[in-house]
Amino acid sequence: MIYFDHNATSPLLPEARQAWLDASERFPGNPSSPHRLGSRADNALNEAREKLAAMLGCHATQIVFTSGATESNNTVLHHAARVAAEEVWVSALEHPCVLEPAQFNFAGRLRLIPATRSGVIDLDWIKDRFKNTTPSLVAVMAANNETGALQPWAEVIQLCRAHSVQFFCDAVQWVGKLPAKGLGECDWLTGSAHKFGGPRGVGFLKVPASLSVTPLLRGGPQEETRRAGTENVPGILAMVAALESREKQIGRLDFQEAEKWREDFERQLSGALPGSEIVAARAPRLWNTVSALMPEADCQQRWVVKLDKLGFAVSTGSACSSGKEEPSYVLNAMGYSAPEAARALRFSAGWETTARDWQALLAALQTVGADVAKPGKFLETQAALE
Ligand code: PLP
């Protein structure tokens, strides 16, 4: 199977696996326990905290370990809604684990920051609105999971600073693909290990300095009372080992070649599949992600099933539990109609993906394109799906 779904989850790196195994054997104690085994685990945890903070460019005391980005994002909005009376501005492109807690915690106080057709949030909307109001929090992700479009988070930090407003950045898709340094400037920052070769079920939250957090999970003093529950020591050490490894690759600029392969693929796609269209084509994007509208209008699942049969794992872009999904709200926010958005497929490569893999995907898309264009094929694929 050639895997083009790294934005959904990424295989465990050997370094992370080794770190997990070592930590499981070497640190059997609970970091909160008073005996030596406990303090050894606690020391290992703090060393991991220092390393992660150094990579992000913040202080170790600002790092809270969590079960993943869904928990981290929920924590930010849970806290923010309890300490501020003003509204919250959240980009319309955010992951549902930001949008839904924002709706829940800020009912009636949520303003969506619109996006442009390019796949990037509308910075002018923020600038204009700042002339009349100040929210309690502004949330803009670093890179979009569906389109790969990079968001102007560094500019939004400056705007927020000028108005003394806190800035929250979901950096799940950026961390481990582009340099982490600088992200520590965000007041609130979240990340998830399994998106960059760490294990699933572990992530982090960076909080503002000298601020007490209203915890989402209560019932224990862990993480300076900011997140109750025994820390996942092997998972955390494995996450940090994975990020260290990815940061080395990023430092060597290994992604520049990978970006060229993605660009070659995109250039050749419209020739191979007339009627296809690259989404957010003009925006700066992650080197690994292509979102493309397929020429066929009726059912994107057909493409996923057929590509699967040819040995390629791809995604329709948005998470889908039922197999019959809604067209992407991200594409909708960019101004695509529902029938257009229903044609979207997402191809997300990893660090191990090669130029040959991209070319093989192109050939497979051409095969599927020729196949789905044949009359009577729609009913056949529907039957396979049911
Ligand atoms: N934020 C973004 C941008 C994501 O892409 C994802 C996962 O797809 C999440 C948050 C959720 O992360 P986790 O799986 O760690 O809960």
Side-chain angles (χ1 to χ4, degrees):
M1 204 74 184
I2 300 185
Y3 190 67
F4 272 98
D5 201 13
H6 286 260
N7 286 10
T9 195
S10 190
L12 193 66
L13 269 171
E15 294 90 323
R17 181 178 177 276
Q18 198 54 52
W20 195 95
L21 291 170
D22 289 349
S24 300
E25 284 173 11
R26 288 178 56 212
F27 308 117
N30 184 325
S32 302
S33 296
H35 45 67
R36 264 181 300 158
L37 287 182
S39 50
R40 270 182 216 154
D42 194 40
N43 289 343
L45 200 59
N46 287 330
E47 198 181 310
R49 207 184 299 278
E50 296 277 353
K51 285 181 180 170
L52 179 59
M55 287 190 273
L56 297 171
C58 65
H59 200 273
T61 54
Q62 295 177 278
I63 301 287
V64 178
F65 291 121
T66 66
S67 67
T70 300
E71 182 195 321
S72 303
N73 290 343
N74 270 270
T75 304
V76 178
L77 290 148
H78 172 85
H79 167 85
R82 274 152 193 82
V83 294
E86 298 85 20
E87 53 188 32
V88 65
W89 300 348
V90 175
S91 110
L93 304 174
E94 295 303 295
H95 191 273
C97 69
V98 172
L99 285 173
E100 285 185 32
Q103 271 153 6
F104 178 78
N105 288 293
F106 283 84
R109 293 192 284 149
L110 166 65
R111 298 269 166 272
L112 287 182
I113 305 167
T116 62
R117 179 86 175 185
S118 68
V120 177
I121 56 140
D122 184 353
L123 258 186
D124 289 337
W125 184 96
I126 301 182
K127 287 180 193 161
D128 282 350
R129 212 169 167 86
F130 262 135
K131 288 179 190 153
N132 305 314
T133 32
T134 35
S136 50
L137 183 77
V138 173
V140 176
M141 69 201 324
N144 185 264
N145 44 299
E146 290 190 29
T147 65
L150 306 183
Q151 303 300 316
W153 55 270
E155 286 93 326
V156 184
I157 292 182
Q158 297 311 325
L159 287 172
C160 286
R161 287 229 175 110
H163 294 86
S164 305
V165 169
Q166 292 207 337
F167 175 64
F168 161 36
C169 185
D170 171 341
V172 164
Q173 297 292 347
W174 178 294
V175 175
K177 297 188 185 105
L178 290 172
K181 203 88 185 175
L183 284 171
E185 295 290 316
C186 304
D187 298 300
W188 300 86
L189 178 81
T190 59
S192 174
H194 74 104
K195 306 289 185 177
F196 52 79
R200 287 156 216 195
V202 55
F204 65 86
L205 163 64
K206 183 251 156 182
V207 303
S210 63
L211 181 112
S212 66
V213 176
T214 315
L216 181 66
L217 301 186
R218 293 170 180 275
Q222 293 89 352
E223 301 297 295
E224 308 292 335
T225 70
R226 297 171 297 190
R227 194 268 184 187
T230 305
E231 289 97 343
N232 174 359
V233 177
I236 291 164
L237 267 58
M239 167 168 73
V240 171
L243 189 54
E244 283 184 317
S245 168
R246 291 310 184 205
E247 282 287 309
K248 276 190 201 134
Q249 287 176 287
I250 293 167
R252 290 197 304 261
L253 300 179
D254 289 359
F255 60 88
Q256 288 184 341
E257 199 178 14
E259 186 160 38
K260 223 179 76 34
W261 300 335
R262 191 212 70 196
E263 285 167 359
D264 289 344
F265 169 86
E266 290 179 350
R267 249 193 316 277
Q268 292 161 14
L269 185 68
S270 57
L273 280 181
S276 60
E277 178 189 329
I278 305 293
V279 176
R282 280 199 286 275
R285 270 176 298 137
L286 289 172
W287 52 264
N288 78 319
T289 309
V290 178
S291 169
L293 306 188
M294 295 295 105
E296 272 289 304
D298 43 31
C299 177
Q300 66 204 140
Q301 283 291 344
R302 289 171 83 184
W303 288 80
V304 176
V305 170
K306 284 181 177 289
L307 286 166
D308 185 283
K309 283 191 179 147
L310 292 176
F312 294 84
V314 308
S315 154
T316 53
S318 47
C320 162
S321 51
S322 63
K324 300 202 190 309
E325 53 194 291
E326 297 287 309
S328 151
Y329 67 89
V330 168
L331 267 64
N332 185 258
M334 290 165 61
Y336 285 92
S337 67
E340 282 174 322
R343 290 162 48 206
L345 286 189
R346 180 185 70 184
F347 314 117
S348 52
W351 286 95
E352 288 74 29
T353 307
T354 62
R356 276 175 71 142
D357 294 336
W358 279 110
Q359 288 302 310
L361 175 64
L362 191 68
L365 283 167
Q366 233 170 336
T367 307
V368 176
D371 193 34
V372 292
K374 285 182 201 153
K377 281 286 166 180
F378 178 64
L379 291 175
E380 192 187 288
T381 318
Q382 282 298 95
L385 279 171
E386 277 156 16

